[in-house]
């Protein structure tokens, strides 16, 4: 009565695809390297050379090559940069913890603490209106 289906279902798994697949660990490495590279850019803009060097070492370890260092300035307020760096370090910490990368997790936590301290010591008039 009904004609049988002769084409593959769109719901079939794509196991026979010809593109490379990455493992969860590789995906987390890529994500962690991206968060750390963004943190490096903000750290360089703040002029924190030794901290930037430590972050660059971790990015190089994850990517297998030294990262490009931040050369341009955005003229953003230091408080804004510290908040951005704190958020980026937090994201890196979450990914580092999920992939059990102790070195990157410790570095990220240290950077979060440093930016929290910097924000606490920033005069209140620089923080007004900055969210």
């Amino acid at each position: 009565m009904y004609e049988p289906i002769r084409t593959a279902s769109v719901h079939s798994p794509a196991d026979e695809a010809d593109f490379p697949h990455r493992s969860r660990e590789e995906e987390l490495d890529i994500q962690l390297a991206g968060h750390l590279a963004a943190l490096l850019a903000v750290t360089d803009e703040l002029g924190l050379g030794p901290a930037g060097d430590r972050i660059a070492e971790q990015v190089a370890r994850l990517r297998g090559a030294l990262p490009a260092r931040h050369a341009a300035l955005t003229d953003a307020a230091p408080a804004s940069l510290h908040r951005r760096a704190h958020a980026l370090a937090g994201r890196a910490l979450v990914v580092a913890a999920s992939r059990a990368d102790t070195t990157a997790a410790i570095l990220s936590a240290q950077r979060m603490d440093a930016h929290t301290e910097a924000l606490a010591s920033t005069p209140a008039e620089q923080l007004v209106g900055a969210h």
Side-chain angles (χ1 to χ4, degrees):
M1 182 180 234
Y2 295 102
E3 186 174 335
I5 298 173
R6 294 186 179 155
T7 60
S9 170
V10 294
H11 302 290
S12 303
D15 290 337
E16 297 124 21
D18 289 336
F19 57 89
H21 296 279
R22 289 191 285 252
S23 68
R24 180 177 187 274
E25 187 75 16
E26 290 170 325
E27 290 292 339
L28 289 174
D29 283 349
I30 292 166
Q31 191 175 27
L32 179 57
H35 290 314
L36 289 174
L39 177 59
L40 175 61
V42 177
T43 302
D44 281 348
E45 186 163 353
L46 284 165
L48 305 173
D53 293 341
R54 291 180 54 216
I55 296 167
E57 288 173 14
Q58 293 304 307
V59 174
R61 179 179 60 87
L62 292 164
R63 288 188 176 164
L66 288 173
R69 298 297 294 257
H70 189 62
L73 299 177
T74 62
D75 294 327
S80 174
L81 291 173
H82 283 295
R83 276 192 295 280
R84 187 178 315 153
H86 184 274
L88 290 165
R91 290 183 190 124
L93 177 59
V94 169
V95 176
S98 70
R99 70 177 295 277
D101 187 332
T102 307
T103 305
I106 290 170
L107 175 62
S108 299
Q110 289 171 341
R111 296 314 313 148
M112 286 181 73
D113 290 344
H115 294 295
T116 299
E117 185 178 317
L119 285 168
S121 65
T122 302
E125 61 270 2
Q126 290 183 1
L127 297 176
V128 172
H131 297 103

Short mmCIF file of all heavy atoms in Angstrom, two decimals, residues 37 46 99-100:
data_model
loop_
_atom_site.label_atom_id
_atom_site.label_comp_id
_atom_site.label_asym_id
_atom_site.label_seq_id
_atom_site.Cartn_x
_atom_site.Cartn_y
_atom_site.Cartn_z
N ALA A 37 43.93 34.28 25.88
CA ALA A 37 44.43 35.26 24.91
C ALA A 37 43.70 36.59 25.05
O ALA A 37 44.31 37.66 24.96
CB ALA A 37 44.29 34.71 23.49
N LEU A 46 46.69 47.13 30.21
CA LEU A 46 46.87 47.69 31.55
C LEU A 46 48.35 47.90 31.88
O LEU A 46 48.67 48.51 32.90
CB LEU A 46 46.23 46.78 32.60
CG LEU A 46 44.71 46.85 32.69
CD1 LEU A 46 44.17 45.66 33.48
CD2 LEU A 46 44.28 48.16 33.30
N ARG A 99 38.60 21.18 32.68
CA ARG A 99 39.56 20.29 32.02
C ARG A 99 40.68 19.86 32.96
O ARG A 99 41.65 19.25 32.54
CB ARG A 99 40.11 20.91 30.75
CG ARG A 99 41.04 22.10 30.94
CD ARG A 99 41.60 22.63 29.65
NE ARG A 99 42.45 21.73 28.95
CZ ARG A 99 43.74 21.55 29.21
NH1 ARG A 99 44.33 22.21 30.16
NH2 ARG A 99 44.45 20.70 28.49
N ALA A 100 40.55 20.21 34.26
CA ALA A 100 41.51 19.82 35.29
C ALA A 100 42.92 20.32 34.99
O ALA A 100 43.91 19.61 35.20
CB ALA A 100 41.49 18.31 35.51
#
